Amino acid sequence: MKRRSIAVLGGGHGARTVAADMSLAGHQVSLFEFEQFHDNIAEIFRGKKIAIRGKARQGEAQIARCSHDMAEAIAGVEIILIITPALYHRNYGKLLAGHLKGGEHVVLIPGTMGSLEFLTTLQENGCKAKITVSELDTLPYATRMTGPASVNVYHALPVFGAGVFPAVKTGEVLKILRD
């Protein structure tokens, strides 16, 4: 397994769980949430820690960077995981359009066929960066928040479906997702 630099965008139960699990797996994790939702995530921003229990890695995960600033949140990352309901994908496309440098792997979790809308939104907002956009068919965890900076995982999926655009990058993206 290669240590990866990951930005998790979103602040709900899924985003918190992925951020904690990936941190405990040895990856460097940045967490972004819109400032308007700061009160919901303030404890994590303050302590830069998320406690995770249940059917995933367990412990107190250290989050490398927490930010409401997209440029700061994605600076130097290889993978950007957007972990929100599909109705927010367009908002993230608009926000990311001016910050993507090229070479990043953006993954919508879950995607619900949102990658085409996401790519169109990037293009409509002037993004010319060469990136891959992937989507998972579902959130790989059944999880819930148990406190301001803690989650419990009830079930983790060992296998899930993924779509990758452009398709020629599928092998590369699947290797990254396995890590």
Side-chain angles (χ1 to χ4, degrees):
M1 179 183 84
K2 180 180 175 186
R3 184 173 180 204
R4 307 275 183 184
S5 179
I6 302 168
V8 174
L9 311 185
H13 59 272
R16 293 172 191 215
T17 300
V18 171
D21 197 35
M22 293 302 95
S23 176
L24 290 175
H27 303 294
Q28 182 174 334
V29 177
S30 295
L31 183 64
F32 170 88
E33 179 58 292
F34 289 107
E35 194 165 1
Q36 69 198 53
F37 301 119
H38 180 78
D39 289 349
N40 298 335
I41 203 159
E43 186 65 28
I44 296 169
F45 272 50
R46 190 173 17 263
K48 293 189 177 161
K49 293 181 182 174
I50 301 171
I52 183 172
R53 304 280 180 260
K55 308 266 176 141
R57 291 172 189 88
Q58 296 190 47
E60 191 168 78
Q62 185 70 43
I63 305 304
R65 184 171 43 200
C66 296
S67 184
H68 297 302
D69 180 273
M70 185 60 74
E72 179 184 7
I74 69 167
V77 302
E78 173 186 14
I79 305 153
I80 300 169
L81 305 175
I82 301 174
I83 307 173
T84 64
L87 65 105
Y88 295 107
H89 292 166
R90 187 167 180 74
N91 294 347
Y92 277 102
K94 288 177 182 178
L95 187 55
L96 279 167
H99 298 290
L100 296 170
K101 305 286 188 226
E104 298 96 343
H105 298 283
V106 178
V107 184
L108 307 175
I109 306 173
T112 58
M113 303 300 288
S115 56
L116 293 177
E117 178 185 40
F118 183 78
L119 282 164
T120 300
T121 302
L122 288 175
Q123 292 168 351
E124 289 173 350
N125 286 276
C127 182
K128 302 219 185 298
K130 300 282 188 212
I131 63 169
T132 59
V133 176
S134 307
E135 59 180 66
L136 303 187
D137 60 353
T138 189
L139 180 66
Y141 308 92
T143 182
R144 288 291 175 256
M145 291 181 268
T146 55
S150 61
V151 293
N152 188 62
V153 178
Y154 298 96
H155 180 73
L157 296 176
V159 178
F160 45 83
V164 179
F165 182 83
V168 297
K169 295 282 194 168
T170 299
E172 180 181 343
V173 170
L174 291 178
K175 183 179 183 323
I176 290 168
L177 291 174
R178 278 191 289 275
D179 284 348

